[in-house]
Amino acid sequence: MIHKVDNEDRVYIIGQHTKYIQHTKYIKKMLFIIAFLVVGILGVIVGVYLYNKQTSPPKTSQAKSLEEVEVISKDAIAPKFMGNQNFQKFLVWVGKNLKYPHGHENENAEVVVAFTISKEGSITDIQILQEPQDKAFGQQVVSLLKQCPRWAPGRLANGTATDIKYTLPVRFSKTRK
């Protein structure tokens, strides 16, 4: 039945079909809400993926080597600084011999460097992983490592000499004496 009120058409359905139409409207509303939620969740997932893709560092050879950790037997022998000193003595040597780059004596800086103590006992494959914009700090660390005394090489459990890789953060601090 159609009844005209204030220039609006209204439909009145009488009988069992009223429940069917109300149920159909309810289903349509629920499907709309579900579709809206699914699109929203997919938007969040895509946003998180894109954010992580932008903020994660590119896979460099160093990043790959961190993922591919080689386990050395507990019976292996670590390299010895100056032939018979532990790694702590090497850090003391770095601290005593590290000099500020000329003109930067009052600045704080951090350089992260990776290097290998070779089978022959020398420091090789020096790579700067992180340094300030002014490259002088990184150059100073590389120069220092090139002057490092010889090491007794690391050895596997069977006694075979092997290359050992290290990553070292070096801090330049104004309070350092």
Side-chain angles (χ1 to χ4, degrees):
M1 171 185 295
I2 299 177
H3 180 67
K4 197 117 171 150
V5 178
D6 297 327
N7 293 331
E8 292 182 17
D9 289 334
R10 294 191 181 179
V11 176
Y12 295 94
I13 300 174
I14 300 173
Q16 295 178 355
H17 297 295
T18 304
K19 289 182 183 176
Y20 174 75
I21 291 175
Q22 287 175 347
H23 186 67
T24 304
K25 287 181 182 179
Y26 174 77
I27 290 174
K28 286 180 180 179
K29 284 181 185 178
M30 291 307 294
L31 287 175
F32 176 77
I33 291 171
I34 290 171
F36 184 76
L37 289 173
V38 168
V39 169
I41 291 170
L42 287 174
V44 170
I45 291 170
V46 168
V48 168
Y49 170 76
L50 292 175
Y51 175 78
N52 287 338
K53 189 174 180 181
Q54 287 177 338
T55 58
S56 65
K59 294 218 176 205
T60 62
S61 60
Q62 181 64 22
K64 288 180 184 173
S65 68
L66 290 176
E67 292 173 2
E68 300 168 5
V69 175
E70 183 178 336
V71 177
I72 298 176
S73 166
K74 66 179 181 176
D75 298 327
I77 300 169
K80 297 288 185 183
F81 177 63
M82 294 178 31
N84 62 356
Q85 303 292 316
N86 64 20
F87 196 79
Q88 189 65 32
K89 295 289 183 179
F90 167 68
L91 296 177
V92 170
W93 178 85
V94 169
K96 285 182 180 177
N97 293 288
L98 185 64
K99 305 287 186 235
Y100 267 88
H102 182 70
H104 298 281
E105 292 82 4
N106 293 321
E107 297 177 30
N108 290 332
E110 182 177 47
V111 175
V112 179
V113 64
F115 59 91
T116 300
I117 300 173
S118 73
K119 297 175 199 178
E120 292 78 32
S122 60
I123 291 185
T124 62
D125 302 326
I126 301 170
Q127 296 176 329
I128 297 174
L129 303 178
Q130 176 186 329
E131 67 182 331
Q133 275 188 306
D134 191 329
K135 306 295 185 207
F137 289 99
Q139 292 169 352
Q140 194 70 20
V141 172
V142 170
S143 175
L144 177 65
L145 291 176
K146 287 181 178 179
Q147 299 170 22
C148 184
R150 298 214 37 98
W151 291 67
R155 298 198 175 272
L156 300 175
N158 66 5
T160 305
T162 187
D163 294 345
I164 303 288
K165 295 182 181 186
Y166 286 96
T167 300
L168 180 69
V170 179
R171 291 182 187 89
F172 291 83
S173 175
K174 290 185 278 189
T175 58
R176 188 175 158 268
K177 297 190 179 194

